[in-house]
mmCIF file of all heavy atoms in Angstrom:
data_model
loop_
_atom_site.group_PDB
_atom_site.id
_atom_site.type_symbol
_atom_site.label_atom_id
_atom_site.label_comp_id
_atom_site.label_asym_id
_atom_site.label_seq_id
_atom_site.Cartn_x
_atom_site.Cartn_y
_atom_site.Cartn_z
ATOM 1 N N ILE A 1004 67.611 6.054 -81.947
ATOM 2 C CA ILE A 1004 67.343 6.689 -80.649
ATOM 3 C C ILE A 1004 68.467 6.442 -79.649
ATOM 4 O O ILE A 1004 68.468 7.016 -78.573
ATOM 5 C CB ILE A 1004 66.000 6.209 -80.027
ATOM 6 C CG1 ILE A 1004 65.919 4.688 -79.996
ATOM 7 C CG2 ILE A 1004 64.811 6.804 -80.760
ATOM 8 C CD1 ILE A 1004 64.726 4.158 -79.234
ATOM 9 N N HIS A 1005 69.408 5.600 -80.004
ATOM 10 C CA HIS A 1005 70.534 5.345 -79.100
ATOM 11 C C HIS A 1005 71.717 6.254 -79.424
ATOM 12 O O HIS A 1005 72.386 6.762 -78.533
ATOM 13 C CB HIS A 1005 70.943 3.880 -79.184
ATOM 14 C CG HIS A 1005 69.766 2.942 -79.093
ATOM 15 N ND1 HIS A 1005 69.141 2.667 -77.893
ATOM 16 C CD2 HIS A 1005 69.061 2.279 -80.053
ATOM 17 C CE1 HIS A 1005 68.110 1.844 -78.126
ATOM 18 N NE2 HIS A 1005 68.036 1.607 -79.429
ATOM 19 N N THR A 1006 71.932 6.510 -80.736
ATOM 20 C CA THR A 1006 73.070 7.350 -81.126
ATOM 21 C C THR A 1006 72.639 8.782 -81.453
ATOM 22 O O THR A 1006 73.485 9.660 -81.617
ATOM 23 C CB THR A 1006 73.744 6.786 -82.392
ATOM 24 O OG1 THR A 1006 72.799 6.844 -83.468
ATOM 25 C CG2 THR A 1006 74.179 5.333 -82.184
ATOM 26 N N LEU A 1007 71.325 9.016 -81.567
ATOM 27 C CA LEU A 1007 70.780 10.326 -81.937
ATOM 28 C C LEU A 1007 71.283 10.814 -83.294
ATOM 29 O O LEU A 1007 71.539 11.994 -83.497
ATOM 30 C CB LEU A 1007 71.069 11.379 -80.850
ATOM 31 C CG LEU A 1007 70.544 11.051 -79.457
ATOM 32 C CD1 LEU A 1007 70.796 12.194 -78.495
ATOM 33 C CD2 LEU A 1007 69.034 10.764 -79.516
ATOM 34 N N LYS A 1008 71.436 9.866 -84.202
ATOM 35 C CA LYS A 1008 71.808 10.231 -85.582
ATOM 36 C C LYS A 1008 70.803 9.570 -86.517
ATOM 37 O O LYS A 1008 70.145 8.603 -86.148
ATOM 38 C CB LYS A 1008 73.202 9.695 -85.896
ATOM 39 C CG LYS A 1008 74.267 10.285 -85.002
ATOM 40 C CD LYS A 1008 75.567 10.445 -85.794
ATOM 41 C CE LYS A 1008 76.531 11.348 -85.058
ATOM 42 N NZ LYS A 1008 77.030 10.743 -83.812
ATOM 43 N N TRP A 1009 70.726 10.071 -87.746
ATOM 44 C CA TRP A 1009 69.895 9.374 -88.732
ATOM 45 C C TRP A 1009 70.447 7.966 -88.903
ATOM 46 O O TRP A 1009 71.659 7.774 -88.963
ATOM 47 C CB TRP A 1009 69.861 10.116 -90.061
ATOM 48 C CG TRP A 1009 69.191 11.459 -90.001
ATOM 49 C CD1 TRP A 1009 69.781 12.663 -90.251
ATOM 50 C CD2 TRP A 1009 67.820 11.740 -89.673
ATOM 51 N NE1 TRP A 1009 68.857 13.683 -90.094
ATOM 52 C CE2 TRP A 1009 67.644 13.139 -89.738
ATOM 53 C CE3 TRP A 1009 66.715 10.954 -89.326
ATOM 54 C CZ2 TRP A 1009 66.427 13.773 -89.478
ATOM 55 C CZ3 TRP A 1009 65.507 11.574 -89.061
ATOM 56 C CH2 TRP A 1009 65.372 12.963 -89.139
ATOM 57 N N GLU A 1010 69.580 6.983 -88.946
ATOM 58 C CA GLU A 1010 69.989 5.582 -88.948
ATOM 59 C C GLU A 1010 70.256 5.103 -90.380
ATOM 60 O O GLU A 1010 69.359 5.108 -91.223
ATOM 61 C CB GLU A 1010 68.874 4.755 -88.283
ATOM 62 C CG GLU A 1010 68.905 3.271 -88.497
ATOM 63 C CD GLU A 1010 70.132 2.602 -87.885
ATOM 64 O OE1 GLU A 1010 70.655 3.109 -86.877
ATOM 65 O OE2 GLU A 1010 70.564 1.576 -88.447
ATOM 66 N N ASP A 1011 71.502 4.685 -90.637
ATOM 67 C CA ASP A 1011 71.917 4.317 -91.992
ATOM 68 C C ASP A 1011 71.028 3.255 -92.626
ATOM 69 O O ASP A 1011 70.627 3.366 -93.775
ATOM 70 C CB ASP A 1011 73.372 3.831 -91.999
ATOM 71 C CG ASP A 1011 74.326 5.001 -91.825
ATOM 72 O OD1 ASP A 1011 73.896 6.151 -92.102
ATOM 73 O OD2 ASP A 1011 75.468 4.785 -91.380
ATOM 74 N N GLN A 1012 70.755 2.208 -91.844
ATOM 75 C CA GLN A 1012 69.972 1.110 -92.408
ATOM 76 C C GLN A 1012 68.584 1.587 -92.859
ATOM 77 O O GLN A 1012 68.097 1.202 -93.917
ATOM 78 C CB GLN A 1012 69.835 0.012 -91.363
ATOM 79 C CG GLN A 1012 69.461 -1.316 -91.984
ATOM 80 C CD GLN A 1012 69.257 -2.404 -90.950
ATOM 81 O OE1 GLN A 1012 69.367 -2.166 -89.744
ATOM 82 N NE2 GLN A 1012 68.950 -3.600 -91.409
ATOM 83 N N ALA A 1013 67.983 2.441 -92.041
ATOM 84 C CA ALA A 1013 66.649 2.958 -92.382
ATOM 85 C C ALA A 1013 66.728 3.890 -93.602
ATOM 86 O O ALA A 1013 65.875 3.848 -94.488
ATOM 87 C CB ALA A 1013 66.046 3.683 -91.194
ATOM 88 N N LEU A 1014 67.765 4.717 -93.634
ATOM 89 C CA LEU A 1014 67.938 5.620 -94.778
ATOM 90 C C LEU A 1014 68.077 4.820 -96.059
ATOM 91 O O LEU A 1014 67.463 5.127 -97.085
ATOM 92 C CB LEU A 1014 69.187 6.496 -94.591
ATOM 93 C CG LEU A 1014 69.140 7.557 -93.509
ATOM 94 C CD1 LEU A 1014 70.470 8.291 -93.431
ATOM 95 C CD2 LEU A 1014 68.023 8.559 -93.777
ATOM 96 N N GLU A 1015 68.883 3.756 -95.972
ATOM 97 C CA GLU A 1015 69.122 2.929 -97.142
ATOM 98 C C GLU A 1015 67.817 2.289 -97.609
ATOM 99 O O GLU A 1015 67.502 2.259 -98.787
ATOM 100 C CB GLU A 1015 70.142 1.860 -96.780
ATOM 101 C CG GLU A 1015 70.769 1.193 -97.985
ATOM 102 C CD GLU A 1015 71.714 0.087 -97.548
ATOM 103 O OE1 GLU A 1015 72.461 0.304 -96.555
ATOM 104 O OE2 GLU A 1015 71.671 -0.980 -98.154
ATOM 105 N N TYR A 1016 67.032 1.808 -96.623
ATOM 106 C CA TYR A 1016 65.767 1.176 -96.958
ATOM 107 C C TYR A 1016 64.807 2.197 -97.599
ATOM 108 O O TYR A 1016 64.083 1.887 -98.534
ATOM 109 C CB TYR A 1016 65.130 0.561 -95.717
ATOM 110 C CG TYR A 1016 63.957 -0.331 -96.070
ATOM 111 C CD1 TYR A 1016 64.165 -1.623 -96.555
ATOM 112 C CD2 TYR A 1016 62.646 0.119 -95.937
ATOM 113 C CE1 TYR A 1016 63.105 -2.430 -96.908
ATOM 114 C CE2 TYR A 1016 61.571 -0.697 -96.289
ATOM 115 C CZ TYR A 1016 61.812 -1.968 -96.771
ATOM 116 O OH TYR A 1016 60.762 -2.767 -97.125
ATOM 117 N N ALA A 1017 64.837 3.420 -97.078
ATOM 118 C CA ALA A 1017 63.972 4.468 -97.636
ATOM 119 C C ALA A 1017 64.459 4.888 -99.018
ATOM 120 O O ALA A 1017 63.696 5.411 -99.821
ATOM 121 C CB ALA A 1017 63.931 5.670 -96.703
ATOM 122 N N GLY A 1018 65.749 4.668 -99.268
ATOM 123 C CA GLY A 1018 66.321 5.050 -100.558
ATOM 124 C C GLY A 1018 66.755 6.498 -100.603
ATOM 125 O O GLY A 1018 66.729 7.136 -101.652
ATOM 126 N N ILE A 1019 67.143 7.046 -99.429
ATOM 127 C CA ILE A 1019 67.566 8.451 -99.393
ATOM 128 C C ILE A 1019 68.869 8.607 -98.617
ATOM 129 O O ILE A 1019 69.284 7.718 -97.891
ATOM 130 C CB ILE A 1019 66.505 9.363 -98.731
ATOM 131 C CG1 ILE A 1019 66.174 8.867 -97.311
ATOM 132 C CG2 ILE A 1019 65.248 9.427 -99.577
ATOM 133 C CD1 ILE A 1019 65.297 9.820 -96.521
ATOM 134 N N LYS A 1020 69.488 9.766 -98.775
ATOM 135 C CA LYS A 1020 70.667 10.119 -97.987
ATOM 136 C C LYS A 1020 70.230 11.075 -96.877
ATOM 137 O O LYS A 1020 69.176 11.695 -96.970
ATOM 138 C CB LYS A 1020 71.691 10.824 -98.895
ATOM 139 C CG LYS A 1020 72.242 9.932 -99.993
ATOM 140 C CD LYS A 1020 73.660 9.509 -99.645
ATOM 141 C CE LYS A 1020 74.136 8.247 -100.356
ATOM 142 N NZ LYS A 1020 73.835 8.149 -101.763
ATOM 143 N N ALA A 1021 71.092 11.207 -95.861
ATOM 144 C CA ALA A 1021 70.732 12.053 -94.714
ATOM 145 C C ALA A 1021 70.487 13.510 -95.118
ATOM 146 O O ALA A 1021 69.739 14.227 -94.454
ATOM 147 C CB ALA A 1021 71.809 11.975 -93.637
ATOM 148 N N ASN A 1022 71.111 13.949 -96.240
ATOM 149 C CA ASN A 1022 70.908 15.352 -96.629
ATOM 150 C C ASN A 1022 69.500 15.618 -97.172
ATOM 151 O O ASN A 1022 69.139 16.748 -97.465
ATOM 152 C CB ASN A 1022 71.977 15.797 -97.634
ATOM 153 C CG ASN A 1022 71.894 15.017 -98.945
ATOM 154 O OD1 ASN A 1022 70.974 14.212 -99.153
ATOM 155 N ND2 ASN A 1022 72.853 15.250 -99.825
ATOM 156 N N LYS A 1023 68.717 14.545 -97.327
ATOM 157 C CA LYS A 1023 67.314 14.728 -97.732
ATOM 158 C C LYS A 1023 66.420 14.987 -96.517
ATOM 159 O O LYS A 1023 65.197 15.090 -96.637
ATOM 160 C CB LYS A 1023 66.801 13.477 -98.449
ATOM 161 C CG LYS A 1023 67.483 13.201 -99.768
ATOM 162 C CD LYS A 1023 66.729 13.847 -100.914
ATOM 163 C CE LYS A 1023 67.524 13.715 -102.198
ATOM 164 N NZ LYS A 1023 67.017 14.544 -103.273
ATOM 165 N N LEU A 1024 67.030 15.011 -95.343
ATOM 166 C CA LEU A 1024 66.246 15.218 -94.121
ATOM 167 C C LEU A 1024 66.735 16.481 -93.430
ATOM 168 O O LEU A 1024 67.861 16.923 -93.649
ATOM 169 C CB LEU A 1024 66.420 14.005 -93.195
ATOM 170 C CG LEU A 1024 65.920 12.668 -93.756
ATOM 171 C CD1 LEU A 1024 66.385 11.510 -92.891
ATOM 172 C CD2 LEU A 1024 64.401 12.661 -93.877
ATOM 173 N N PRO A 1025 65.886 17.075 -92.584
ATOM 174 C CA PRO A 1025 66.325 18.292 -91.886
ATOM 175 C C PRO A 1025 67.424 17.980 -90.858
ATOM 176 O O PRO A 1025 67.653 16.831 -90.515
ATOM 177 C CB PRO A 1025 65.059 18.791 -91.196
ATOM 178 C CG PRO A 1025 64.042 17.732 -91.320
ATOM 179 C CD PRO A 1025 64.504 16.708 -92.297
ATOM 180 N N GLU A 1026 68.080 19.024 -90.379
ATOM 181 C CA GLU A 1026 69.102 18.886 -89.329
ATOM 182 C C GLU A 1026 68.465 18.384 -88.047
ATOM 183 O O GLU A 1026 67.412 18.864 -87.634
ATOM 184 C CB GLU A 1026 69.704 20.268 -89.023
ATOM 185 C CG GLU A 1026 70.608 20.828 -90.080
ATOM 186 C CD GLU A 1026 71.921 20.069 -90.159
ATOM 187 O OE1 GLU A 1026 72.498 19.767 -89.093
ATOM 188 O OE2 GLU A 1026 72.343 19.753 -91.296
ATOM 189 N N LEU A 1027 69.145 17.453 -87.371
ATOM 190 C CA LEU A 1027 68.657 16.992 -86.074
ATOM 191 C C LEU A 1027 69.050 17.985 -84.993
ATOM 192 O O LEU A 1027 70.146 18.534 -85.008
ATOM 193 C CB LEU A 1027 69.278 15.626 -85.761
ATOM 194 C CG LEU A 1027 68.701 14.458 -86.570
ATOM 195 C CD1 LEU A 1027 69.598 13.240 -86.438
ATOM 196 C CD2 LEU A 1027 67.288 14.143 -86.104
ATOM 197 N N ALA A 1028 68.145 18.208 -84.057
ATOM 198 C CA ALA A 1028 68.434 19.211 -83.029
ATOM 199 C C ALA A 1028 67.793 18.805 -81.707
ATOM 200 O O ALA A 1028 66.777 18.107 -81.678
ATOM 201 C CB ALA A 1028 67.882 20.562 -83.464
ATOM 202 N N SER A 1029 68.370 19.257 -80.635
ATOM 203 C CA SER A 1029 67.775 19.037 -79.316
ATOM 204 C C SER A 1029 66.471 19.816 -79.219
ATOM 205 O O SER A 1029 66.269 20.800 -79.939
ATOM 206 C CB SER A 1029 68.763 19.498 -78.244
ATOM 207 O OG SER A 1029 68.082 20.206 -77.234
ATOM 208 N N ILE A 1030 65.584 19.388 -78.333
ATOM 209 C CA ILE A 1030 64.293 20.073 -78.193
ATOM 210 C C ILE A 1030 64.453 21.525 -77.707
ATOM 211 O O ILE A 1030 63.537 22.318 -77.814
ATOM 212 C CB ILE A 1030 63.357 19.334 -77.209
ATOM 213 C CG1 ILE A 1030 64.039 19.105 -75.866
ATOM 214 C CG2 ILE A 1030 62.901 18.014 -77.806
ATOM 215 C CD1 ILE A 1030 63.127 18.525 -74.801
ATOM 216 N N PHE A 1031 65.638 21.860 -77.177
ATOM 217 C CA PHE A 1031 65.854 23.219 -76.651
ATOM 218 C C PHE A 1031 66.460 24.163 -77.687
ATOM 219 O O PHE A 1031 66.685 25.330 -77.399
ATOM 220 C CB PHE A 1031 66.798 23.166 -75.444
ATOM 221 C CG PHE A 1031 66.234 22.392 -74.286
ATOM 222 C CD1 PHE A 1031 66.819 21.193 -73.891
ATOM 223 C CD2 PHE A 1031 65.130 22.860 -73.591
ATOM 224 C CE1 PHE A 1031 66.320 20.482 -72.812
ATOM 225 C CE2 PHE A 1031 64.623 22.147 -72.508
ATOM 226 C CZ PHE A 1031 65.211 20.951 -72.129
ATOM 227 N N VAL A 1032 66.720 23.633 -78.867
ATOM 228 C CA VAL A 1032 67.451 24.447 -79.841
ATOM 229 C C VAL A 1032 66.616 25.621 -80.339
ATOM 230 O O VAL A 1032 65.406 25.528 -80.476
ATOM 231 C CB VAL A 1032 67.942 23.557 -81.008
ATOM 232 C CG1 VAL A 1032 67.987 24.333 -82.320
ATOM 233 C CG2 VAL A 1032 69.308 22.997 -80.679
#
Side-chain angles (χ1 to χ4, degrees):
Chain A
I1004 51 172
H1005 312 283
T1006 63
L1007 303 184
K1008 298 215 165 68
W1009 294 117
E1010 164 64 29
D1011 286 339
Q1012 199 183 1
L1014 291 178
E1015 197 183 319
Y1016 191 78
I1019 56 171
K1020 295 255 159 44
N1022 64 6
K1023 294 268 173 192
L1024 298 169
E1026 288 290 316
L1027 286 166
S1029 138
I1030 54 173
F1031 297 113
V1032 148

